[in-house]
Amino acid sequence: MFFKNKKKSFVVYTAGAAVLKEVAAPVVAVDDEIRQLASEMLDAMRVFNGIGLAAPQYGKSLRLVVFDVPMENSTGTPGEEYLLPQMPFAVINPEIIARSGKTEERDEGCLSVPDIYAPVVRPASVVFRAQMLDGEFIELECGGLLGRCIQHELDHLDGFLFTDRLSTAAENAIRGDLNRLKSIGQSCNYRRISGK
């Protein structure tokens, strides 16, 4: 934990950090430590103006993700109808068990790749399985921004950034910016720090 002027500060790890390339370990039990980590991650996500944050981005190689996708982005899938009203929330050991055949291309950004955006092709919807912090197990089809956010955040749990999913042309377009980000990141151990 980092402190700055007696205010709580939060850290998000950026492209180049080793923790972002690891396959995260399953969460064995939902205990007070996991609940505290989820709470800190929700605060960090808000401080950095994100809609999702995976534990590896927070420096913890665990299969834990927090979400805060705006309600107005619903496309009407059952998962959106059920989950969007519950925002923000955390999930434990999430997995995608099915993907739609239809794909969509949309610009993505990432708290770990600040100020860089590029088009990523992903399935239009996914079936998502996870455990909520209260112990409830869910298995729901999610589309729209939530479905995309789930795919993006679960990539982090397997060591992938959205930049690993780009076409050759999109990758070439951002290569210089990404190299600069990694170079800058070396001087601060690939961490962004922000206070409340």
Side-chain angles (χ1 to χ4, degrees), residues 53-132:
L53 186 70
Q57 295 178 274
Y58 197 65
K60 305 291 184 184
S61 190
L62 290 169
R63 300 188 87 79
L64 168 64
V65 178
V66 295
F67 295 100
D68 194 9
V69 176
M71 184 75 177
E72 63 268 17
N73 289 286
S74 178
T75 62
T77 59
E80 292 170 284
E81 296 297 309
Y82 184 72
L83 294 171
L84 289 175
Q86 298 187 53
M87 296 288 169
F89 66 83
V91 293
I92 305 299
N93 300 326
E95 58 182 322
I96 293 170
I97 60 172
R99 293 169 171 81
S100 71
K102 179 184 174 187
T103 60
E104 295 177 344
E105 183 177 74
R106 184 171 177 171
D107 274 1
E108 290 188 21
C110 181
L111 297 182
S112 293
V113 189
D115 304 320
I116 297 175
Y117 300 88
V120 182
V121 176
R122 294 193 187 270
S125 66
V126 294
V127 178
F128 169 63
R129 178 189 291 158
Q131 182 182 3
M132 307 290 274

Side-chain angles (χ1 to χ4, degrees), residues 184-195:
I184 291 166
Q186 286 179 326
S187 65
C188 56
N189 297 317
Y190 302 105
R191 296 177 302 174
R192 299 169 66 196
I193 302 173
S194 182

